[in-house]
Amino acid sequence: MRIVSRNKLACLVVLGGILTVIATGFGGGKESYKLPDKPKEAAVSTFSEYMNASILQNGRVRA
């Protein structure tokens, strides 16, 4: 009984590893992610764009 549970655990670990590799896209041939030069300004800009789009979508435009 104990050998069966070890085999199941080993299969789950291997399956988890394979799924992790698939989910991350194998990492080959892709351009590495580059952080912006000014992360604070980029974050503020992204948030502002999101909020503006959200307000426009809801029809609550205050200009």
Side-chain angles (χ1 to χ4, degrees):
M1 185 76 174
R2 192 170 182 137
I3 294 173
V4 173
S5 64
R6 284 185 184 174
N7 286 340
K8 286 183 181 180
L9 178 62
C11 287
L12 288 175
V13 168
V14 170
L15 181 61
I18 290 170
L19 290 175
T20 300
V21 169
I22 290 171
T24 57
F26 299 101
K30 291 187 176 182
E31 193 173 310
S32 62
Y33 181 74
K34 186 177 180 183
L35 292 175
D37 293 333
K38 298 180 179 180
K40 183 177 179 181
E41 287 81 0
V44 169
S45 173
T46 302
F47 182 74
S48 295
E49 289 174 12
Y50 171 79
M51 290 305 294
N52 289 336
S54 177
I55 290 169
L56 287 172
Q57 185 177 11
N58 290 333
R60 299 186 221 152
V61 179
R62 295 182 199 168

